[in-house]
Amino acid sequence: MKKIVRISKGLAFVLALLLVFNSIVIPSTYLKADAASLQIGISYRYSDNRVGNSATVTLSGAGGTKPYQYKLMYRVGNGSWITKQNFASNSKIIVPFNSAGTYTIRAYIKDKNNAQTYSQRQFSVLPKYTPLANNSTINKTVFNTGEYTTVTGKASGGNTPYKYSFYQTAFEGKRTLVQAYSSNATFSKKLPAGYYNIEALVKDADGNVKTKSFNITVKSNTGRVLSNISTMSSSKVDVNKSVSIMGKATGGVMPYEYSYAYSFDNGSTWTTISSYSRSAVKNVVLNKTGTYKIRTKVKDQTGKEAVKYLTIVSRKNTGKPLGNPTLLMDIGTSDLVDVGAKTKLTVKCDGGYLPYQYAFYYQLNTGSWRQIQGYSDKTTAEMKFPSGGNYTIRVSVKDSDGKVISSTKKVTAITTKSYSGLNKGNFTVDYGFSTDITAEDKGSGSSYAFYYKKVSGNVWTKLQDYKANRTVSFRPRYNEEYIVLVYTKRNNVNFTSTFSVKPVISDKIYKIVDLVNEERQKANLKKLEIDERLVFVAGVRAEELKQYNGHVRPDGRNWDTVLDDYSLYDIQKQFENTSRAYVIPELVVKYWMKSKEGHRENILNPSVDKCGANVCGKYWEMIYAK
């Protein structure tokens, strides 16, 4: 059996006074009121034990006589006690964290019979957390050489103590550690001219790091005139590949800023690569083949500018060696031309690196080379032959890799008028037919060359190079007068003679066309117009009919291939009538109109509107076409 201690009323009063005036803590053994010992339990919970948060304290009782009432007091460190709750039935009490330190929680319990006891617990509250901040400063951001750049490390928040580190980076340079982490909070240094980034790093006791950067300019007056000496990584670059432009300058007030632009049309228009910046190196991709102009500008600290132009060739590798150029002249394959005549020179080339540049030259006899046109991207030039003689025309092609390859062509210039008194004959020939030209000289061992040209032109065409054959066949292609020039070479000496050849359209041709049109008029059909081109090829066919009479040519091809031979590709719906029975046009047309072989149908074909006819002896040819 537990011993029950009873307190007299007088003693209880004395004890109460002592509690009030002397803050005496009464041991729980003196507060027991009955046989069951009264007890109090304390528990607490918080999410963060930093100032600004709070703890929830939960109280629980045991023993004594229910119901219970609770009282809660707390203090920070050795400070005064703060009553958060006097005796009440509430068992959950919020304790705020208003300051950092050790919190003592003292909880009292009182039962129904006023028996009391207490208990207490302690926990720590940390200061309110402030994130680490870097508050470092710099004395200024623009300096002259010889002045100190001073950065002072400062920090707040986090957890002390702090340590400081400093880095220095020249613009577009390597980041360099100046000071590892230490308690020294000052960076002070004299820097050469340039742009810099200074980094101040602060680290707190928890290892948190904050960085603050300062961009500075250090100026230096060189006392010299500003000069732009920019360069490029190469003067040649493959198309769609990058090339580096490297800005560089001397003089003026350092440091400098740079801007770049390019032009594909020799400066007429400019495309900006970059506006003024501190970056001295820029990469640019050129996406066309050809010559680019690069404009570089440099600006010093006073705003003065210096400009420099660079040239670069953007090229394409064809993947094969540079080939011999082909030189074309509008005199065709001829090696003869009139004095004073002009000819267009055209060059073609392949291989090597695109694009090309072309240059044209000529040499008269064995004289010096003279320039017709210097190197450019023009593939054509015009040549005038100032005097008679033997000319060598040379074209040189230079690819974008600098390789050069040349080709030549030999031409003889003559004065035709000087031979007018030596004419050995004037001929007329039915248009469309060939005539034989025979050199009169019969010297032993002679060789002969034949050329022809229109009287109205200055381009000679070779019929035959030097051979022993004295006779050539000449068929004038157009219905106008021609000159045939004959060279006779004997003992390496040339003799020259000329012939005039005039094609004519025979009256028989006009007559047979009139007769055919009369038949078409009877059938209310449109008249046919004479096409001289068809007269020409009809002459060719009439000569062929003497060899093989039919709608197949002597070489086995169909008759209408004669049109292709002379490039008459625009002639449509062509039909052919032939005859070898009569010479007189009236009888030929009468024969065709009675023919059962399609001749009548051709004459009366409503879809044709032009024609050409010719006759060789008694062999007639007439072509109808659209």
Side-chain angles (χ1 to χ4, degrees):
M1 177 181 292
K2 293 183 178 180
K3 181 180 180 180
I4 299 175
V5 178
R6 301 187 181 278
I7 304 173
S8 67
K9 291 182 180 180
L11 179 59
F13 177 76
V14 172
L15 291 172
L17 289 175
L18 290 172
L19 285 170
V20 171
F21 293 105
N22 296 306
S23 299
I24 296 175
V25 177
I26 304 298
S28 60
T29 54
Y30 294 103
L31 298 177
K32 294 177 181 176
D34 50 36
S37 177
L38 183 63
Q39 298 177 17
I40 185 169
I42 303 173
S43 64
Y44 57 87
R45 185 176 62 187
Y46 50 76
S47 59
D48 190 349
N49 65 330
R50 292 182 180 275
V51 172
N53 297 301
S54 62
T56 300
V57 179
T58 302
L59 306 178
S60 60
T65 304
K66 295 181 180 180
Y68 306 126
Q69 288 189 323
Y70 304 97
K71 177 181 177 179
L72 184 73
M73 303 173 67
Y74 73 91
R75 70 178 180 180
V76 181
N78 295 319
S80 301
W81 289 96
I82 299 171
T83 300
K84 184 63 179 172
Q85 175 180 295
N86 279 315
F87 283 111
S89 59
N90 179 37
S91 61
K92 288 190 176 182
I93 304 163
I94 304 298
V95 175
F97 299 159
N98 295 323
S99 60
T102 301
Y103 277 63
T104 302
I105 304 293
R106 178 175 290 176
Y108 293 87
I109 185 172
K110 181 171 69 174
D111 72 354
K112 181 178 180 180
N113 297 320
N114 290 323
Q116 296 184 33
T117 187
Y118 77 94
S119 183
Q120 65 185 35
R121 296 189 65 175
Q122 288 184 333
F123 55 83
S124 295
V125 173
L126 301 176
K128 185 175 182 178
Y129 181 75
T130 302
L132 179 65
N134 191 329
N135 305 316
S136 301
T137 60
I138 191 169
N139 54 336
K140 57 182 180 178
T141 57
V142 179
F143 302 85
N144 293 313
T145 52
E147 294 181 331
Y148 279 98
T149 299
T150 301
V151 177
T152 303
K154 293 181 181 179
S156 62
N159 290 317
T160 59
Y162 305 124
K163 291 185 177 181
Y164 302 90
S165 177
F166 298 95
Y167 285 87
Q168 169 189 319
T169 306
F171 187 73
E172 294 185 334
K174 183 179 179 181
R175 185 171 181 254
T176 303
L177 176 65
V178 178
Q179 174 186 297
Y181 282 111
S182 74
S183 59
N184 177 38
T186 302
F187 166 97
S188 188
K189 197 174 183 182
K190 291 180 180 181
L191 296 171
Y195 299 106
Y196 297 89
N197 176 261
I198 307 298
E199 296 173 86
L201 287 73
V202 61
K203 182 167 67 173
D204 70 0
D206 293 333
N208 298 314
V209 176
K210 291 293 181 180
T211 303
K212 189 172 183 180
S213 297
F214 303 93
N215 290 321
I216 67 170
T217 302
V218 181
K219 300 189 299 182
S220 175
N221 191 342
T222 67
R224 302 189 305 273
V225 176
L226 180 65
S227 178
N228 188 332
I229 55 173
S230 301
T231 60
M232 287 189 301
S233 58
S234 176
S235 60
K236 300 171 186 175
V237 64
D238 286 351
V239 67
N240 294 323
K241 298 291 185 180
S242 176
V243 64
S244 295
I245 308 170
M246 294 162 287
K248 193 174 181 181
T250 60
V253 179
M254 299 188 295
Y256 312 114
E257 292 187 0
Y258 307 87
S259 75
Y260 306 101
Y262 70 82
S263 172
F264 191 67
D265 51 12
N266 200 31
S268 296
T269 56
W270 291 94
T271 300
T272 299
I273 299 172
S274 68
S275 300
Y276 272 115
S277 72
R278 297 173 179 179
S279 179
V281 179
K282 286 293 179 181
N283 294 323
V284 61
V285 174
L286 306 176
N287 55 18
K288 294 181 182 178
T289 58
T291 301
Y292 285 79
K293 205 170 186 179
I294 306 295
R295 183 181 67 200
T296 68
K297 289 183 178 181
V298 61
K299 179 171 66 175
D300 74 355
Q301 289 296 307
T302 67
K304 290 183 179 179
E305 288 185 333
V307 182
K308 183 178 180 181
Y309 294 95
L310 305 169
T311 300
I312 185 169
V313 176
S314 176
R315 60 193 188 162
K316 179 180 179 182
N317 189 349
T318 64
K320 56 184 179 180
L322 183 62
N324 284 323
T326 301
L327 175 60
L328 303 175
M329 303 172 67
D330 60 5
I331 59 174
T333 59
S334 176
D335 54 7
L336 200 65
V337 67
D338 283 350
V339 169
K342 293 180 181 179
T343 183
K344 182 180 179 182
L345 308 175
T346 304
V347 62
K348 295 181 180 180
C349 195
D350 62 4
Y353 285 86
L354 302 178
Y356 308 124
Q357 287 193 314
Y358 311 89
F360 298 85
Y361 308 88
Y362 77 87
Q363 180 188 49
L364 175 57
N365 298 322
T366 59
S368 300
W369 286 97
R370 297 191 178 186
Q371 182 176 284
I372 302 171
Q373 175 180 295
Y375 277 112
S376 74
D377 58 359
K378 295 179 180 178
T379 59
T380 61
E382 187 177 76
M383 169 65 185
K384 183 176 181 180
F385 298 90
S387 60
N390 296 313
Y391 286 81
T392 302
I393 312 298
R394 186 182 78 201
V395 60
S396 294
V397 180
K398 180 167 61 176
D399 76 353
S400 296
D401 201 35
K403 293 183 179 179
V404 177
I405 194 165
S406 300
S407 181
T408 59
K409 184 178 180 66
K410 294 186 180 295
V411 177
T412 300
I414 62 171
T415 305
T416 309
K417 293 179 181 179
S418 66
Y419 305 122
S420 60
L422 301 176
N423 285 351
K424 300 301 179 182
N426 295 308
F427 299 93
T428 59
V429 61
D430 286 338
Y431 183 45
F433 290 89
S434 61
T435 185
D436 289 339
I437 306 294
T438 302
E440 291 189 350
D441 181 86
K442 301 178 182 179
S444 175
S446 296
S447 59
Y448 308 90
F450 295 84
Y451 295 83
Y452 72 88
K453 73 161 191 166
K454 298 177 186 176
V455 169
S456 60
N458 54 33
V459 176
W460 291 90
T461 302
K462 186 186 295 184
L463 281 171
Q464 174 184 296
D465 205 350
Y466 283 104
K467 292 181 180 179
N469 179 39
R470 292 176 53 229
T471 302
V472 296
S473 178
F474 174 51
R475 189 192 303 271
R477 178 65 179 84
Y478 298 98
N479 188 21
E480 56 182 287
E481 188 173 0
Y482 285 79
I483 296 175
V484 177
L485 179 65
V486 182
Y487 276 101
T488 301
K489 183 188 292 184
R490 185 169 65 251
N491 298 325
N492 291 323
V493 178
N494 280 337
F495 303 91
T496 309
S497 59
T498 59
F499 299 84
S500 172
V501 180
K502 177 70 171 88
V504 295
I505 297 178
S506 169
D507 289 341
K508 290 182 180 180
I509 306 306
Y510 294 107
K511 181 63 177 178
I512 200 167
V513 172
D514 288 342
L515 293 170
V516 165
N517 279 331
E518 287 177 9
E519 296 297 333
R520 288 177 65 86
Q521 280 185 309
K522 292 175 186 178
N524 294 320
L525 296 174
K526 183 180 178 182
K527 284 185 176 183
L528 301 178
E529 298 292 333
I530 293 178
D531 188 321
E532 287 189 354
R533 299 175 301 164
L534 294 179
V535 173
F536 176 84
V537 294
V540 176
R541 282 288 295 135
E543 284 189 336
E544 291 180 349
L545 290 174
K546 290 181 68 175
Q547 301 177 55
Y548 184 84
N549 183 35
H551 297 292
V552 177
R553 301 177 72 185
D555 61 5
R557 293 184 295 161
N558 195 48
W559 77 268
D560 56 3
T561 58
V562 70
L563 300 169
D564 296 334
D565 287 351
Y566 293 95
S567 303
L568 302 185
Y569 302 116
D570 62 321
I571 301 298
Q572 304 294 323
K573 291 186 177 181
Q574 59 269 18
F575 306 99
E576 178 188 57
N577 277 1
T578 64
S579 172
R580 65 182 178 89
Y582 306 100
V583 175
I584 301 173
E586 288 86 352
L587 295 177
V588 174
V589 174
K590 188 175 181 180
Y591 162 73
W592 283 340
M593 290 300 292
K594 291 182 178 181
S595 171
K596 297 179 181 180
E597 298 178 3
H599 298 107
R600 175 186 176 90
E601 287 78 2
N602 290 341
I603 291 174
L604 301 180
N605 190 323
S607 66
V608 297
D609 58 12
K610 54 192 170 188
C611 68
N614 228 316
V615 59
C616 181
K618 63 178 181 178
Y619 290 91
W620 283 90
E621 167 79 10
M622 191 163 187
I623 299 174
Y624 312 88
K626 177 70 175 175

